[in-house]
Amino acid sequence: MSRACDICGKGVMHGNKVSKSYNHTHRTWRPNLITVKADLGNGTVRTLKVCTRCYKSDWLDKKVKVPKAVAEN
């Protein structure tokens, strides 16, 4: 299961958590993904994982082109 947005490609980011005593520990930031069923235009319906930024940007209403890799699968 991929943790990446199917529209913009935003994925997991890695970095360090820094405490007040300046100790560094590894951590990850995961994107806030929503599962959405979208009509790709030619009558096919696909389930997409979309980040909240893409979901709020009215990409469904504007009919933004879904990347070819997503449309072919």
Side-chain angles (χ1 to χ4, degrees):
M1 177 171 105
S2 134
R3 290 193 171 128
C5 176
D6 289 328
I7 303 299
C8 66
K10 180 191 290 185
V12 177
M13 292 175 33
H14 302 280
N16 289 319
K17 183 171 97 174
V18 181
S19 68
K20 288 184 179 180
S21 61
Y22 207 63
N23 293 330
H24 289 66
T25 55
H26 299 293
R27 65 159 292 182
T28 59
W29 288 269
R30 295 181 180 163
N32 190 5
L33 297 177
I34 298 173
T35 303
V36 176
K37 288 190 177 183
D39 184 9
L40 297 180
N42 54 357
T44 60
V45 176
R46 288 266 337 259
T47 301
L48 301 176
K49 290 184 182 174
V50 181
C51 66
T52 53
R53 180 175 285 182
C54 291
Y55 184 75
K56 290 192 316 185
S57 67
D58 296 330
W59 64 272
L60 287 171
D61 295 337
K62 294 177 186 175
K63 297 183 181 177
V64 173
K65 292 183 180 179
V66 178
K68 290 182 181 178
V70 174
E72 291 172 358
N73 292 333

